[in-house]
Amino acid sequence: MNRNTLKIALGIATVFFLIVAIVLFVLGLTLDISTLPRVILIIVSLLAFVLGVELGYFVYLLIDKNPNYFLYNTQTKRNMSVQKLTFQHINSRMNRYLSGYATSEGRIWNDRVFDDPYLEMEDEFRPLVAYKLLFGLAEKDAEAGWKCLENSSDDTVAFICKGLRANGDGEFATAIENVMSQKPVNIKVIRDYLIRNRKYMQNKMFKYVIDNIDKFQ
């Protein structure tokens, strides 16, 4: 029996014993019977109530109180195992995370969201955001996306490169800075570079989450 099935079974048992406790307690108080059977009914009802409470406590223990951003399953109400985590899931969760800053990745670039020096963002997410923004451009390979990068501000580029360096990826950050610092930006060069490194960025995102999974509680 897996953990989720056990939780459901215990939940059903909890409800059953609590109902039994209530019914027996009411019968013990209302039935026209002698004292001994009445006392037995009330005692059994109390025992059923205690058992129901204990089972309910076990159900509580089976529920994750610290849902992990990348592992938590809203259907099972539990964190799945790290071994089941896929890049597709991580990428999807990062789409959701970025939606808290702008309605689309294009708006993030065009509205210069990351130019704000007082931007509120958890430190553990900054490297992921940096990889995600660059990976998103390479994954979609759309002219509009490359135009966003071409017109991006120095502050946005600095934000991305700082995030890369926070993950010890200084060489990759320097390569991005070198291309983006040449004005006008040769978008073909940066496009080819990012597309060529798409798998690299994907692996970096995946490994970063796995290595730092406890930080995303």
Side-chain angles (χ1 to χ4, degrees), residues 102-118:
T103 55
S104 68
E105 286 186 36
R107 292 295 297 269
I108 286 176
W109 294 98
N110 293 330
D111 293 351
R112 300 189 172 187
V113 172
F114 300 131
D115 286 15
D116 183 1
Y118 303 106

Side-chain angles (χ1 to χ4, degrees), residues 14 17-18 20-22 24 43-53:
T14 298
F17 280 106
L18 290 178
V20 169
I22 294 172
L24 292 179
I43 290 175
V44 172
S45 72
L46 292 175
L47 291 175
F49 177 78
V50 171
L51 182 57
V53 171

Side-chain angles (χ1 to χ4, degrees), residues 42-128:
I42 292 176
I43 290 175
V44 172
S45 72
L46 292 175
L47 291 175
F49 177 78
V50 171
L51 182 57
V53 171
E54 287 291 329
L55 291 174
Y57 179 68
F58 287 138
V59 173
Y60 170 78
L61 292 179
L62 289 171
I63 299 175
D64 280 306
K65 270 69 73 178
N66 296 307
N68 186 283
Y69 187 78
F70 291 103
L71 300 178
Y72 190 70
N73 186 314
T74 56
Q75 294 181 336
T76 63
K77 306 299 182 184
R78 281 203 58 79
N79 291 327
M80 65 180 179
S81 67
V82 178
Q83 289 73 23
K84 293 183 178 180
L85 191 61
T86 64
F87 173 76
Q88 288 71 26
H89 184 77
I90 292 173
N91 197 40
S92 175
R93 294 295 290 175
M94 285 307 298
N95 285 333
R96 178 177 177 180
Y97 183 79
L98 288 176
S99 70
Y101 292 92
T103 55
S104 68
E105 286 186 36
R107 292 295 297 269
I108 286 176
W109 294 98
N110 293 330
D111 293 351
R112 300 189 172 187
V113 172
F114 300 131
D115 286 15
D116 183 1
Y118 303 106
L119 180 73
E120 293 186 3
M121 178 180 289
E122 303 90 332
D123 290 341
E124 60 269 20
F125 276 97
R126 289 176 180 263
L128 274 178

Side-chain angles (χ1 to χ4, degrees), residues 32-44:
D32 186 15
I33 54 178
S34 60
T35 301
L36 181 59
R38 186 188 304 277
V39 171
I40 291 174
L41 279 176
I42 292 176
I43 290 175
V44 172

